[in-house]
Amino acid sequence: GAVVSQHPSRVICKSGTSVKIECRSLDFQATTMFWYRQFPKQSLMLMATSNEGSKATYEQGVEKDKFLINHASLTLSTLTVTSAHPEDSSFYICGYRFSSYEQYFGPGTRLTVT
Amino acid sequence: SQQGEEDPQALSIQEGENATMNCSYKTSINNLQWYRQNSGRGLVHLILIRSNEREKHSGRLRVTLDTSKKSSSLLITASRAADTASYFCATDGPYSGGGADGLTFGKGTHLIIQP
């Protein structure tokens, strides 16, 4: 299967600061990546679809000015949480849609905002 | 939200027993997938079943799909301690933002295999 990496795996930041999460496809080129968020003991919710070379598409209720997505190359997509608040603390996971509609996911980034 | 529902939310069984998890969804689908997530980790794709399929096997996994009832089940036979994880079903779309390729996940079943 496709290999997807995320960095960092864990990050703690202070309220009001910004955090950047990187998602890399290691053995394939991805025109489309997906960003999901998972709160403790809950399921994954799609936040946005990241398209290489164009603007990301955000789901209803997700603030595009707060969650900045950049997909500048076929192997790298970044999610920046701007002016983070404690309620943004969550597990962020990127995914790539592979053949036959399977998605391969990164290992996730645990964000804690204090 | 188009989230599906997993049933049960938590399941604890003895090693060697079979584990069955169910998933229901609300809209028509192209396919349904099952994923495993170990605590605090990423997702591992287990199996995909298309809307025109009724049953699929992969090793110790057996998935069924009933599109008339909008439900699916995942059976893990001869469970092992390493199967302890959360299991999610996921269907494709639809999404309000136009991200039609994103997945809609169920709430998950937390499976504990007692050694």
Side-chain angles (χ1 to χ4, degrees):
Chain A
V3 180
V4 181
S5 71
Q6 268 184 254
H7 177 80
S9 58
R10 290 177 180 271
V11 58
I12 300 172
C13 71
K14 292 185 177 180
S15 186
T17 60
S18 295
V19 174
K20 179 185 285 188
I21 302 169
E22 293 185 348
C23 178
R24 291 181 185 274
S25 53
L26 300 184
D27 55 358
F28 61 92
Q29 292 183 329
T31 56
T32 303
M33 300 286 290
F34 305 98
W35 286 97
Y36 295 84
R37 179 169 54 184
Q38 184 180 32
F39 291 108
K41 299 192 178 184
Q42 293 190 27
S43 189
L44 283 78
M45 291 293 291
L46 180 67
M47 298 175 66
T49 302
S50 164
N51 300 296
E52 188 268 336
S54 64
K55 291 183 179 180
T57 305
Y58 291 82
E59 295 306 309
Q60 207 167 42
V62 178
E63 300 173 58
K64 62 181 180 181
D65 294 331
K66 181 173 183 60
F67 299 98
L68 302 179
I69 292 173
N70 184 280
H71 193 163
S73 78
L74 293 174
T75 59
L76 174 64
S77 175
T78 61
L79 168 68
T80 301
V81 183
T82 63
S83 188
H85 291 282
E87 56 264 32
D88 298 325
S89 297
S90 187
F91 194 56
Y92 292 86
I93 303 177
C94 63
Y96 162 68
R97 184 165 187 160
F98 206 61
S99 61
S100 302
Y101 302 97
E102 296 172 21
Q103 282 201 17
Y104 289 93
F105 292 88
T109 296
R110 174 78 58 194
L111 171 63
T112 303
V113 185
T114 61
Chain B
S1 170
Q2 302 291 325
Q3 274 194 331
E5 300 277 340
E6 264 95 340
D7 164 39
Q9 291 188 348
L11 178 63
S12 180
I13 61 174
Q14 292 295 122
E15 194 167 22
E17 294 180 340
N18 295 340
T20 300
M21 290 159 273
N22 303 298
C23 164
S24 61
Y25 55 91
K26 299 177 182 177
T27 65
S28 59
I29 60 172
N30 291 325
N31 59 72
L32 184 145
Q33 305 175 50
W34 284 90
Y35 288 85
R36 182 184 72 223
Q37 183 182 35
N38 290 83
S39 180
R41 309 286 283 275
L43 294 170
V44 174
H45 181 266
L46 295 177
I47 196 166
L48 178 150
I49 186 166
R50 299 188 187 282
S51 59
N52 61 354
E53 297 177 309
R54 292 297 167 258
E55 188 172 311
K56 203 163 183 179
H57 297 255
S58 177
R60 295 185 295 114
L61 305 180
R62 173 177 168 258
V63 168
T64 63
L65 179 64
D66 187 334
T67 53
S68 66
K69 296 181 179 178
K70 290 186 169 60
S71 66
S72 173
S73 69
L74 171 67
L75 168 68
I76 303 175
T77 60
S79 63
R80 305 167 182 168
D83 295 329
T84 294
S86 291
Y87 291 82
F88 296 92
C89 67
T91 58
D92 57 345
Y95 277 96
S96 60
D101 293 341
L103 294 178
T104 302
F105 284 85
K107 293 181 179 178
T109 292
H110 184 51
L111 175 65
I112 297 173
I113 308 298
Q114 308 276 6

